[in-house]
């Protein structure tokens, strides 16, 4: 049984914390009393984050690192242990993206997305696990994407990286369980989230990209991260749209094909021009985006109803009770309707058997047809049917 420390007692490392979801999570961990170690490529964003946390009375430090470089990631772990003595939760968030068709994507660009999004998470896990073991257990939390289950057009490299994250986490989780190691491994799969991710992404669309709607607030992903830091859980889908996509993909991948052909291309394009060659963060940091929210706040949903249900055990019990009650009611009603339909068919058979081919009363009738059921009572016309004037 994995027991995780309360957040106020934890030392938390966040890789990719200078903006967006990572920055929001750092604020929320600090407000709950955790000691925060933030890392990213952008020192300007890290410095402003740590200053914000200290101003509100929190405890935080930072260490610059590129997650594609394993040695730099190991230095983050060493800095965290050297400063606070241990690591309780390690969160992998760093990611980059490229919006282009596969044929427009160069091998170097594809490899860089894999190096940051997939190998960056591998490096984070490799660096974190020895320290989580030394602390007597802890949480490894990895942010992948619903695109690890179904990839959108223009995102072949990004989708491949997220599929890879899910695959390596599944194997790692089983290996740790087999050993009896008290380390929780959580895969968090958000849908489109309103962060500066889209401002910083490389694009060959001729316009600035955006997330396929609906977009959600970064806070709902940060809430999921904090939940996983205290509750051992394997997988968390974040955003009702993520659950819908996952369900549709499971039930009918061809239906998802049809849906994405109809909506998946234009829905990822804004009207804001962004020429090929514009500044991006694919191969290095892009300063000036040390904030949580992106440019689509007016289109952002602040909550996801199913996220709250997923993390609230009492609400789950109530919801399942209501669902089972509704299903039982439907089953009872269908059974009653089915009996009436069955009785009507047998009644018609009985009536038809009373007449011969010339339209004269058939006094011998069909015993099989004349014995019929209405509700739970069997009636036999040979016993009383003809006394009724038939």
């Amino acid at each position: 049984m994995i027991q995780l420390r309360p957040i106020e007692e934890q030392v938390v490392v966040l890789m990719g914390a200078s903006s967006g979801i990572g920055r929001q999570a750092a604020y929320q961990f600090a407000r709950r009393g955790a000691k925060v170690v933030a890392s990213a490529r952008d020192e300007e964003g890290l410095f402003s984050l740590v200053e914000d946390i200290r101003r509100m009375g929190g405890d935080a430090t930072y260490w610059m690192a590129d997650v594609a470089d394993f040695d730099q990631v190991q230095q983050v772990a060493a800095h965290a242990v050297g400063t606070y003595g241990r690591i309780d939760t390690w969160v992998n968030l760093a990611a980059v993206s490229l919006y282009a068709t596969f044929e427009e994507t160069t091998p170097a660009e594809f490899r860089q997305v894999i190096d940051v999004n997939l190998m960056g998470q591998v490096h984070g896990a490799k660096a974190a696990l020895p320290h989580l073991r030394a602390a007597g257990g802890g949480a490894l939390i990895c942010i992948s994407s619903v695109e690890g289950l179904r990839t959108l057009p223009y995102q072949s490299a990004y989708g491949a990286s997220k599929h890879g994250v899910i695959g390596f986490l599944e194997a790692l989780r089983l290996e740790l369980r087999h050993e009896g190691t008290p380390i929780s491994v959580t895969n968090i799969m958000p849908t489109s989230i309103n962060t500066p991710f889209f401002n910083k992404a490389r694009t060959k669309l001729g316009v600035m990209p955006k997330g396929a709607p609906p977009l959600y607030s970064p806070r709902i992903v940060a809430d999921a991260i904090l939940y996983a830091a205290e509750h051992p859980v394997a997988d968390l889908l974040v955003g009702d749209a993520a659950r819908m996509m996952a369900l549709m993909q499971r039930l009918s991948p061809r239906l998802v094909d049809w849906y994405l052909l109809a909506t998946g291309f234009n829905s990822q394009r804004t009207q804001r021009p962004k020429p090929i060659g514009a500044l991006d963060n694919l191969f290095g940091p892009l300063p000036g985006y040390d904030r949580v929210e992106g440019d689509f706040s007016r289109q952002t949903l602040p909550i996801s109803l199913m996220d709250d249900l997923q993390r609230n055990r009492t609400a789950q019990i109530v919801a399942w009770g209501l669902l089972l009650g509704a299903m039982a009611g439907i089953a009872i009603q269908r059974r009653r309707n089915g009996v009436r339909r069955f009785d009507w068919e047998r009644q018609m058979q009985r009536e038809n058997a009373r007449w011969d081919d010339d339209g004269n009363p058939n006094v011998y009738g069909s015993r099989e047809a004349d014995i019929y059921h209405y509700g739970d009572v069997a009636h036999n016309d040979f016993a009383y049917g003809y006394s009724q004037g038939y």
Side-chain angles (χ1 to χ4, degrees):
M1 182 68 176
I2 298 174
Q3 296 289 338
L4 301 176
R5 298 175 187 267
I7 284 176
E8 60 269 20
E9 300 177 9
Q10 290 193 18
V11 177
V12 180
V13 178
L14 298 119
M15 304 299 296
S18 61
S19 66
I21 297 167
R23 193 179 187 95
Q24 178 65 37
Y27 287 142
Q28 292 184 214
F29 272 117
R31 290 190 187 101
R32 292 276 301 275
K35 295 176 174 61
V36 173
V37 181
S39 182
R41 296 178 298 181
D42 177 15
E43 186 172 19
E44 178 183 313
L46 292 173
F47 181 81
S48 66
L49 170 64
V50 170
E51 287 297 300
D52 287 346
I53 290 175
R54 289 174 177 172
R55 274 195 296 270
M56 65 186 193
D59 192 350
T61 183
Y62 76 84
W63 191 271
M64 283 180 58
D66 182 345
V67 296
D69 186 326
F70 182 47
D71 290 339
Q72 293 185 35
V73 178
Q74 287 183 305
Q75 291 172 20
V76 177
H79 175 68
V81 173
T83 304
Y84 296 120
R86 66 172 191 272
I87 297 171
D88 299 299
T89 294
W90 183 286
V91 188
N92 286 321
L93 301 114
V96 295
S97 191
L98 165 67
Y99 284 81
T101 65
F102 174 74
E103 290 186 295
E104 292 174 324
T105 303
T106 69
E109 290 170 333
F110 201 105
R111 186 178 302 110
Q112 177 67 5
V113 174
I114 298 297
D115 285 346
V116 174
N117 295 6
L118 174 55
M119 294 308 300
Q121 300 237 13
V122 171
H123 294 160
K126 282 282 189 182
L129 285 173
H131 298 289
L132 293 174
R133 288 178 187 274
L140 174 65
I141 302 170
C142 299
I143 311 304
S144 61
S145 169
V146 71
E147 291 201 52
L149 303 176
R150 179 59 195 246
T151 303
L152 303 183
Y154 297 139
Q155 298 194 50
S156 56
Y158 183 84
S161 70
K162 297 305 182 179
H163 276 76
V165 169
I166 292 175
F168 110 78
L169 290 180
E170 288 175 346
L172 173 60
R173 186 182 298 116
L174 290 175
E175 291 163 4
L176 292 174
R177 287 180 180 176
H178 179 70
E179 297 171 359
T181 304
I183 296 175
S184 171
V185 178
T186 301
N187 170 34
I188 295 180
M189 296 170 280
T191 184
S192 298
I193 305 297
N194 178 35
T195 72
F197 179 81
F198 307 105
N199 302 76
K200 298 188 288 185
R202 177 167 292 191
T203 177
K204 298 184 180 181
L205 305 180
V207 296
M208 192 184 98
K210 67 174 182 177
L215 281 78
Y216 293 85
S217 167
R219 179 178 292 276
I220 71 168
V221 189
D223 288 343
I225 292 170
L226 268 71
Y227 178 81
E230 290 186 308
H231 303 85
V233 58
D235 299 296
L236 288 172
L237 286 160
V238 179
D240 296 326
R243 290 178 184 79
M244 182 60 69
M245 178 63 77
L247 179 62
M248 289 172 60
Q249 176 66 17
R250 178 175 294 182
L251 295 177
S252 178
R254 296 180 69 178
L255 177 61
V256 181
D257 284 346
W258 174 85
Y259 173 75
L260 292 179
L261 284 170
T263 67
F265 291 85
N266 289 336
S267 65
Q268 297 185 81
R269 306 169 68 100
T270 67
Q271 300 299 315
R272 189 185 310 175
K274 185 173 182 179
I276 296 176
L279 294 176
D280 59 61
N281 73 338
L282 183 58
F283 287 95
L286 184 61
Y289 291 97
D290 50 341
R291 63 179 193 263
V292 171
E293 297 278 346
D295 292 351
F296 307 101
S297 296
R298 293 184 179 180
Q299 306 170 34
T300 298
L301 299 176
I303 62 172
S304 171
L305 297 177
M306 291 301 296
D307 284 9
D308 293 335
L309 179 61
Q310 184 175 226
R311 297 190 294 268
N312 188 319
R313 183 61 59 87
T314 301
Q316 288 178 19
I317 294 171
V318 172
W320 276 111
L322 292 173
L323 178 60
L324 291 174
M327 291 174 65
I330 292 171
I332 292 170
Q333 187 63 36
R334 291 188 64 182
R335 180 176 178 82
R336 288 174 176 170
N337 292 341
V339 167
R340 283 196 290 270
R341 285 193 298 271
F342 174 77
D343 291 345
W344 177 252
E345 290 179 2
R346 299 302 296 265
Q347 178 74 0
M348 291 300 296
Q349 291 177 9
R350 183 178 61 81
E351 293 295 337
N352 291 335
R354 298 190 184 284
W355 307 92
D356 62 19
D357 293 340
D358 297 326
N360 298 313
N362 185 356
V363 296
Y364 296 102
S366 168
R367 182 172 180 83
E368 180 182 358
D370 280 345
I371 299 177
Y372 63 97
H373 292 269
Y374 190 81
D376 294 326
V377 181
H379 304 278
N380 187 338
D381 276 347
F382 278 92
Y384 69 92
Y386 300 113
S387 67
Q388 307 299 316
Y390 295 127

